[in-house]
């Protein structure tokens, strides 16, 4: 009975409907081509994708933009909130030119601040912090194509190259003639997993960013790449820090083969005030993601404060909630492993961004089955053995009682 209960608890699915959000997407909302002609350019374009994911009691706004530095904002707001953009001021990086009315409960942002090439001098240097030869590529100076919507559905932000139609010598010389930085973004209605490995788990309160570094010209003999991220967060007056970094481990690698670790950045320990950034420490060296083409993604979780005046685009223009202290902190993310052959023209890496507690991986069906077999089988043996022993003793006792009765009758 106990074993049956355990098996039922593990394998019988719960009868509950998944939570869903209604997702609405806008591209450059309210942008007037007469005032801001770049809003309709195919190249050297102004891009801002606005996603509203409405639930029962609140709405989550995602803003993805390549005006200035490529930036991604997550904001939780009341249901009736609206986006307000002063496009002429936004293009000029003026503060508070992008706002959500009424003011968000919480908001955070992530910016791709810089891209680096560094030399793995002894062939085993895999962190940018350990390299003496570093080349900085200013992401702010890159030109971007008009956003493309793909079939997932997701949105592709892609830098302009010389190979783009009707474009000549317009690519950034630091990336090379066909080199480009790309970002693929998705927002979600329900909880699920990404279809591509490492199959990141997401909730209805999150979106996903995939960074691609493709065909970038390298200058070193043993080249590796790294990105510098800036995260905006707010903290209360009595809090010392607004960001925390932690690593969690799992015994189950069914969805991300060979990867048992998950890294998370949180803006608060209170789930009602928390924006999180979560990823697996793995990236991929070929467009077709496979375990064979995987390499490490490395960060030490050390945050360095940065002045808001050093940023551009949404990080400078967006109106964050005004009741807390706003901080901007940067950290480096390096890609590589000592046996991966260095950068060879492709790196892709995925990260989940969202509100509340990040969803935790549960044990897969196969791990649960092994657990049941491992724990249930001994339990069955103990129970059956106990019943059998009881039955043998009971039978022996009855036999002895019958002998006594028979003996008494013969007397």
């Amino acid at each position: 009975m106990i074993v049956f209960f355990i098996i039922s608890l593990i394998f019988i699915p719960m009868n509950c409907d998944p939570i869903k959000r209604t997702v609405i997407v806008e591209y450059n909302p309210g942008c007037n081509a007469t005032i801001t002609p770049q809003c309709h350019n195919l190249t050297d374009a102004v891009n801002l994708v606005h996603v509203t994911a409405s639930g029962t009691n609140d709405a989550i706004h995602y803003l993805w933009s390549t005006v200035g530095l490529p930036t991604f904002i997550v904001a939780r707001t009341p249901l009736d909130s609206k986006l307000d953009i002063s496009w002429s001021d936004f293009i000029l990086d003026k503060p508070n030119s992008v706002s959500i009315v009424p003011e968000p409960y919480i908001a955070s942002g992530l910016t791709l601040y810089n891209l680096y090439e560094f030399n793995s001098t002894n062939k085993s240097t895999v962190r940018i912090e350990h390299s003496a030869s570093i080349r900085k590529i200013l992401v702010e100076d890159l030109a971007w194509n008009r956003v493309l919507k793909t079939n997932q559905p997701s949105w592709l932000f892609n830098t302009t190259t010389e190979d783009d139609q009707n474009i000549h010598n317009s690519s950034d010389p630091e990336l090379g003639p066909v080199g480009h930085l790309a970002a693929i973004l998705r927002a979600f209605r329900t909880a699920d997993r990404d279809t591509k490995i490492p199959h990141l788990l997401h909730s209805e309160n999150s979106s996903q960013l995939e960074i691609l570094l493709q065909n970038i010209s390298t200058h070193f003999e043993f080249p590796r790449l790294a990105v510098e991220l800036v995260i905006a967060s707010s903290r209360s007056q009595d809090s010392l820090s607004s960001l925390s970094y932690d690593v969690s481990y799992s015994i189950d690698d069914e969805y991300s083969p060979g990867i048992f670790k998950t890294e998370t950045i949180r803006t608060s320990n209170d789930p009602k005030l928390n924006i999180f950034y979560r990823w697996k420490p793995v990236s991929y060296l070929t467009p077709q993601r496979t375990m064979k083409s995987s390499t490490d993604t490395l960060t030490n979780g050390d945050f360095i404060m940065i002045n808001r005046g050093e940023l551009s685009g949404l990080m400078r223009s967006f109106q964050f909630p005004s009741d807390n202290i706003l901080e901007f902190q940067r950290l480096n993310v390096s890609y590589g492993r000592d046996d991966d052959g260095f950068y060879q023209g492709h790196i892709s890496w995925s990260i989940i961004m969202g509100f509340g507690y990040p969803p935790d991986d549960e044990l897969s069906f196969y791990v649960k089955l092994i657990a049941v077999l491992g724990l249930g089988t001994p339990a069955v043996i103990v129970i059956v053995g106990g019943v059998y022993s009881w039955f043998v003793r009971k039978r022996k006792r009855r036999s002895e009682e019958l002998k006594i009765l028979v003996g008494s009758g013969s007397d």
Side-chain angles (χ1 to χ4, degrees):
M1 193 70 180
I2 296 174
V3 175
F4 176 76
F5 173 75
I6 294 173
I7 295 174
S8 300
L9 186 64
I10 293 176
F11 291 107
I12 294 177
M14 298 298 289
N15 243 343
C16 57
D17 295 327
I19 300 173
K20 293 183 179 180
R21 286 186 177 270
T22 302
V23 174
I24 298 174
V25 183
E26 303 174 282
Y27 176 68
N28 289 346
C31 187
N32 189 322
T34 305
I35 301 173
T36 314
Q38 303 100 306
C39 285
H40 298 277
N41 288 357
L42 295 179
T43 57
D44 194 19
V46 168
N47 291 312
L48 186 145
V49 173
H50 172 226
V51 179
T52 307
S54 299
T56 305
N57 303 310
D58 62 3
I60 298 178
H61 291 258
Y62 304 106
L63 299 176
W64 305 326
S65 177
T66 55
V67 175
L69 288 164
T71 298
F72 317 97
I73 299 287
V74 181
R76 177 175 174 257
T77 70
L79 266 177
D80 59 349
S81 56
K82 303 294 181 184
L83 178 67
D84 182 46
I85 303 175
S86 172
W87 279 98
S88 56
D89 291 340
F90 178 37
I91 298 300
L92 297 174
D93 267 347
K94 291 188 177 181
N96 301 330
S97 55
V98 179
S99 61
I100 297 175
V101 183
E103 188 176 87
Y105 301 130
I106 55 169
S108 178
L110 181 145
T111 288
L112 302 183
Y113 188 45
N114 283 308
L115 172 63
Y116 295 99
E117 177 196 359
F118 64 98
N119 195 29
S120 184
T121 48
N122 59 3
K123 298 187 180 182
S124 62
T125 302
V126 293
R127 291 181 181 270
I128 187 173
E129 297 87 353
H130 300 160
S131 177
S133 303
I134 300 173
R135 181 174 70 96
K136 179 190 288 188
I137 300 170
L138 296 176
V139 175
E140 186 176 15
D141 294 340
L142 301 179
W144 294 81
N145 292 335
R146 185 180 176 89
V147 168
L148 293 175
K149 184 178 179 181
T150 64
N151 293 328
Q152 271 75 11
S154 57
W155 292 266
L156 171 64
F157 295 76
N158 206 351
T159 56
T160 303
T161 71
E162 288 182 4
D163 286 353
D164 290 320
Q165 188 175 4
N166 300 324
I167 298 296
H168 301 284
N169 301 319
S170 64
S171 64
D172 189 288
E174 298 299 322
L175 292 182
V178 294
H180 62 277
L181 164 65
I184 301 175
L185 291 119
R186 297 179 63 194
F188 304 108
R189 297 176 62 246
T190 61
D192 204 346
R193 289 187 181 273
D194 188 21
T195 55
K196 296 188 292 188
I197 60 170
H199 302 297
L200 292 177
L201 181 64
H202 62 78
S203 71
E204 71 282 358
N205 298 328
S206 58
S207 61
Q208 178 175 292
L209 163 66
E210 179 181 352
I211 297 173
L212 297 97
L213 308 171
Q214 296 180 298
N215 301 318
I216 293 173
S217 295
T218 56
H219 293 210
F220 298 127
E221 183 178 3
F222 306 113
R224 298 193 185 280
L225 298 182
V227 294
E228 186 176 24
L229 306 177
V230 172
I231 296 177
S233 58
S234 60
R235 64 177 177 86
S236 60
Q237 302 286 342
D238 56 351
S239 176
L240 296 178
S241 176
S242 56
L243 290 183
S244 64
Y245 165 82
D246 63 75
V247 179
S248 57
Y249 297 87
S250 171
I251 63 171
D252 186 3
D253 72 336
E254 178 189 357
Y255 298 106
S256 51
I259 309 299
F260 299 91
K261 189 164 69 170
T262 302
E263 299 180 57
T264 306
I265 293 173
R266 292 179 172 87
T267 63
S268 173
N269 290 324
D270 185 344
K272 295 180 180 179
L273 302 174
N274 182 49
I275 302 292
F276 67 86
Y277 303 87
R278 170 168 280 193
W279 65 92
K280 296 280 188 179
V282 61
S283 49
Y284 298 89
L285 301 174
T286 61
Q288 293 74 36
R289 292 186 173 193
T290 63
M291 192 173 176
K292 185 178 180 180
S293 70
S294 66
T295 191
D296 293 341
T297 298
L298 304 163
T299 182
N300 55 15
D302 290 340
F303 301 105
I304 301 174
M305 298 295 292
I306 185 173
N307 191 292
R308 190 177 189 180
E310 300 178 50
L311 305 172
S312 64
L314 274 178
M315 277 297 205
R316 185 183 294 180
S317 303
F318 184 73
Q319 184 174 352
F320 287 90
S322 58
D323 55 346
N324 285 343
I325 297 173
L326 187 62
E327 293 181 340
F328 299 86
Q329 302 180 64
R330 59 186 174 90
L331 75 159
N332 294 324
V333 179
S334 304
Y335 305 105
R337 189 172 56 231
D338 57 9
D339 60 352
D340 64 5
F342 313 103
Y343 176 70
Q344 299 179 10
H346 181 93
I347 285 177
S348 62
W349 173 56
S350 299
I351 179 172
I352 295 289
M353 309 174 291
F355 153 73
Y357 275 140
D360 290 320
D361 285 315
E362 294 183 352
L363 295 178
S364 69
F365 172 85
Y366 300 103
V367 172
K368 290 177 180 178
L369 179 61
I370 291 170
V372 168
L373 293 176
L375 299 176
T377 303
V380 170
I381 293 173
V382 170
I383 292 170
V384 171
V387 171
Y388 177 76
S389 298
W390 175 84
F391 180 79
V392 169
R393 288 198 302 270
K394 182 82 172 175
R395 190 171 182 181
K396 184 178 180 181
R397 189 179 303 120
R398 286 196 64 185
S399 177
E400 291 174 350
E401 290 174 350
L402 285 173
K403 288 179 179 180
I404 292 171
L405 291 172
V406 170
S408 300
S410 61
D411 291 343

